[in-house]
Amino acid sequence: MENSTHTIIEFTRELHTCDINDKSITESTVRVIWAYHHEDVGEAGPKYHDSNRGTKSLRLLNPEKTSVLSTAIPYFDLVNQDVPIPNKGTTYWCQMFKIPVFQEKHHVIKVEPVIQRGHESLVHHILLYQCSSSFNDSVLDYGHECYHPNMPDAFLTCETVIFAWAIGGEGFSYPPHVGLSLGTPLDPRYVLLEVHYDNPTYKEGLIDNSGLRLFHTTDIRKYDAGVIEAGLWVSLFHTIPPGMPEFRSEGHCTLECLEEALEAEKPSGIHVFAVLLHAHLAGRGIRLRHFRKGEELRLLAYDDDFDFNFQEFQYLKEEQTILPGDNLITECRYNTKDRARMTWGGLSTRNEMCLSYLLYYPRINLTRCASIPDIMEQLQFIGVKEIYRPVTTWPFIIKSPKQYKNLSFMDAMNKFKWAKKEGLSFNKLVLSLPVNVRCSKTDNAEWSIQGMTALPPHVERPYKAEPLVCGTSSSSSPPKNHPLELLVCFMVLCSLWHSTHLWS
């Protein structure tokens, strides 16, 4: 169908055709290629598209949950003011804001990114943290580079993620029965906006005014939303060797952490309704696995074709309950074939992360449920025998053997001669190592399990997906022969656009 502004193309295809020339359509990211000529197809067939072409990452089966908001619905912005972006690859900028003072409870029902025009590739992700409430407005005076030695102490109280947005994502609408609570004593009064700027070409003179827009209502919903950060604690102890076509890391939200927090707060369990999966440039796939009493349940979320430049919350088709005694594994798959040195866990886009942000209800006092593998056994793999103790430098220094003496543990790992065989053996070791448990509450408090050591559960690795049945649509997907509809509009060219070709 076409009118003066839009062309709509409707097509029908089995999700899984088992034709080697067809790509199965799953809940993972799909790169769609589009091309068009501005004239209709003639007798000679379609005309060449010239430069009218491009690609876009989409999640074709991610169910739409967008509700049309009244244009009168109130909102407020948490937006940076004239932030100077340094001419370096990665900058994390932090700014504290005070939430507007409400006389009664409100629910945030939608959050949208506010990205300065032209900065769509500069602003990589935005995290919104709840801070301690025991401040006055003097903490609001200025922004600062995050994780910097001179960062204000007030920023250190902002540990609880209450919203996350990443590049390629659009606005997020909460389901009709859930909202982000504001205005009560338990709710955030001060928040920290953390913006990750990605400037790989070291461009100079950039000034940014980006942030988030929060739409809110006094029409209170039934449940308050919470966010749990699960996966691998961001640390140099997250190590990935170079030259690996495939390497897997796992972050554990352990049975012990979930048991303690849920038994104390919500023994009947919490309900997850959306998940954001997050890695960096080496990431190729992420799965959030869910176990109960040793049995694996349906995946909470997955993306087998992860695109660093397209990250958004996935709405779960059906809410899933997490009970005391369950455990979650965030399983990340990386490719470091083009790298000659180790890849470390860290903040830069050239470092790596392996995280899942779970949106759930009702809100409980659990904000981080993560782990990090033991570093000493990783170093023993490359032959390290002893480090200097007490540890007074970071990264710490190796004492023996001779070939690594006085090297930092990072330099030693880079000195080791990595080949695919060693990388595979190292990967097997890392997945079996004891992990240090991170189990955090709001306001920098910790559950008693925090800092304990746990063994990873015995599970089938890697996750084995159910076999695809040819010529059918999966039960969790649109019904058979349900058309996939693409609505495409190019501001000026729309009215000219007649002949179109699409591949996915």
Side-chain angles (χ1 to χ4, degrees):
M1 186 278 285
E2 78 179 354
N3 58 24
S4 60
T5 60
H6 291 72
T7 297
I8 294 176
I9 303 157
E10 190 174 281
F11 64 94
T12 304
R13 205 209 82 175
E14 301 288 358
L15 299 180
H16 315 298
T17 66
C18 294
D19 181 332
I20 59 167
N21 296 307
D22 291 343
K23 185 175 176 67
S24 283
I25 296 173
T26 68
E27 291 172 47
S28 296
T29 299
V30 177
R31 276 73 162 175
V32 172
I33 306 168
W34 54 265
Y36 69 91
H37 191 278
H38 65 269
E39 293 178 14
D40 276 345
V41 176
E43 288 182 9
K47 296 182 179 180
Y48 184 63
H49 48 71
D50 294 313
S51 60
N52 298 326
R53 59 170 302 178
T55 65
K56 184 170 176 63
S57 286
L58 299 169
R59 201 167 282 115
L60 291 172
L61 303 186
N62 194 20
E64 289 289 334
K65 286 283 195 325
T66 51
S67 52
V68 179
L69 296 182
S70 159
T71 52
I73 191 164
Y75 65 83
F76 61 89
D77 289 346
L78 304 173
V79 174
N80 282 321
Q81 298 296 316
D82 296 332
V83 173
I85 312 304
N87 60 329
K88 60 180 183 176
T90 296
T91 300
Y92 281 74
W93 186 264
C94 286
Q95 170 74 55
M96 283 185 79
F97 293 88
K98 187 177 184 180
I99 296 291
V101 177
F102 296 121
Q103 301 306 315
E104 57 185 321
K105 178 170 176 168
H106 286 235
H107 265 150
V108 172
I109 58 174
K110 183 176 183 179
V111 183
E112 284 183 351
V114 180
I115 308 301
Q116 182 172 325
R117 189 181 293 273
H119 287 188
E120 290 80 8
S121 61
L122 175 70
V123 181
H124 183 264
H125 73 249
I126 302 174
L127 291 176
L128 190 64
Y129 296 88
Q130 178 171 343
C131 305
S132 169
S133 296
S134 58
F135 292 127
N136 59 44
D137 292 358
S138 64
V139 297
L140 307 175
D141 286 349
Y142 56 94
H144 202 286
E145 199 165 333
C146 315
Y147 313 110
H148 190 278
N150 298 330
M151 191 175 79
D153 290 344
F155 289 11
L156 299 174
T157 73
C158 310
E159 285 280 317
T160 303
V161 174
I162 56 174
F163 191 76
W165 171 88
I167 191 166
E170 296 181 4
F172 180 84
S173 297
Y174 286 84
H177 53 300
V178 188
L180 174 62
S181 179
L182 296 178
T184 81
L186 287 175
D187 299 332
R189 287 179 56 213
Y190 294 92
V191 293
L192 184 78
L193 187 79
E194 174 192 296
V195 182
H196 172 190
Y197 294 106
D198 187 29
N199 185 16
T201 59
Y202 298 86
K203 199 168 177 181
E204 295 189 9
L206 294 170
I207 305 289
D208 184 66
N209 296 273
S210 299
L212 297 173
R213 174 166 293 172
L214 285 71
F215 295 86
H216 56 90
T217 178
T218 52
D219 186 10
I220 299 304
R221 296 174 168 190
K222 187 173 182 181
Y223 299 106
D224 294 341
V227 181
I228 295 173
E229 181 186 291
L232 262 168
W233 176 254
V234 179
S235 162
L236 291 174
F237 297 171
H238 176 198
T239 56
I240 307 170
M244 296 297 292
E246 187 165 298
F247 188 90
R248 291 180 189 271
S249 298
E250 287 180 354
H252 296 273
C253 176
T254 63
L255 177 152
E256 294 87 352
C257 177
L258 286 174
E259 184 124 57
E260 182 178 7
L262 285 169
E263 283 290 359
E265 296 264 324
K266 194 67 182 172
S268 59
I270 56 174
H271 307 285
V272 179
F273 60 88
V275 174
L276 174 73
L277 302 171
H278 183 65
H280 284 177
L281 286 171
R284 294 296 180 270
I286 312 176
R287 292 174 176 268
L288 179 54
R289 303 173 68 177
H290 183 194
F291 299 85
R292 179 170 297 156
K293 296 179 180 173
E295 292 291 317
E296 181 152 19
L297 307 181
R298 191 171 68 188
L299 286 170
L300 278 162
Y302 71 93
D303 190 348
D304 292 333
D305 292 296
F306 175 77
D307 180 352
F308 174 68
N309 291 312
F310 175 64
Q311 302 183 45
E312 64 177 2
F313 274 104
Q314 300 180 30
Y315 296 99
L316 273 55
K317 286 185 167 58
E318 295 172 8
E319 293 176 355
Q320 291 198 45
T321 303
I322 297 177
L323 297 173
D326 287 5
N327 60 292
L328 307 174
I329 300 177
T330 305
E331 176 189 281
C332 294
R333 181 166 47 85
Y334 301 102
N335 181 315
T336 58
K337 276 188 77 172
D338 62 342
R339 300 189 180 191
R341 294 171 67 80
M342 293 290 295
T343 297
W344 308 96
L347 300 172
S348 164
T349 51
R350 293 287 296 180
N351 296 141
E352 266 311 327
M353 293 187 180
C354 181
L355 295 171
S356 306
Y357 291 95
L358 287 71
L359 279 180
Y360 72 93
Y361 68 88
R363 177 177 57 179
I364 61 170
N365 197 1
L366 175 64
T367 65
R368 184 174 286 115
C369 184
S371 73
I372 193 69
D374 181 82
I375 187 61
M376 291 314 298
E377 291 198 46
Q378 295 184 57
L379 291 172
Q380 285 167 17
F381 178 89
I382 65 165
V384 170
K385 291 187 167 52
E386 193 179 4
I387 67 170
Y388 284 103
R389 294 184 188 275
V391 173
T392 56
T393 59
W394 184 255
F396 58 76
I397 305 299
I398 291 164
K399 189 173 183 181
S400 69
K402 190 175 179 181
Q403 78 245 41
Y404 299 135
K405 186 175 174 67
N406 294 331
L407 292 181
S408 72
F409 77 84
M410 298 173 74
D411 289 338
M413 291 283 259
N414 276 316
K415 186 175 180 181
F416 183 73
K417 288 188 166 45
W418 292 100
K420 189 175 178 183
K421 181 183 173 187
E422 286 75 18
L424 290 171
S425 299
F426 182 69
N427 202 171
K428 192 173 178 182
L429 167 76
V430 168
L431 294 178
S432 68
L433 290 180
V435 297
N436 185 277
V437 175
R438 320 301 299 177
C439 193
S440 312
K441 300 179 180 181
T442 53
D443 278 352
N444 280 359
E446 298 166 351
W447 291 98
S448 69
I449 191 69
Q450 169 99 347
M452 303 280 190
T453 299
L455 284 171
H458 293 289
V459 299
E460 189 173 359
R461 292 189 172 91
Y463 173 84
K464 290 230 175 348
E466 291 180 23
L468 299 176
V469 180
C470 301
T472 60
S473 298
S474 66
S475 59
S476 62
S477 304
K480 190 172 178 180
N481 291 332
H482 181 84
L484 291 167
E485 201 172 84
L486 295 184
L487 174 66
V488 202
C489 177
F490 289 78
M491 305 298 269
V492 180
L493 296 169
C494 275
S495 57
L496 302 173
W497 182 13
H498 295 271
S499 176
T500 308
H501 316 292
L502 273 156
W503 299 268
S504 69

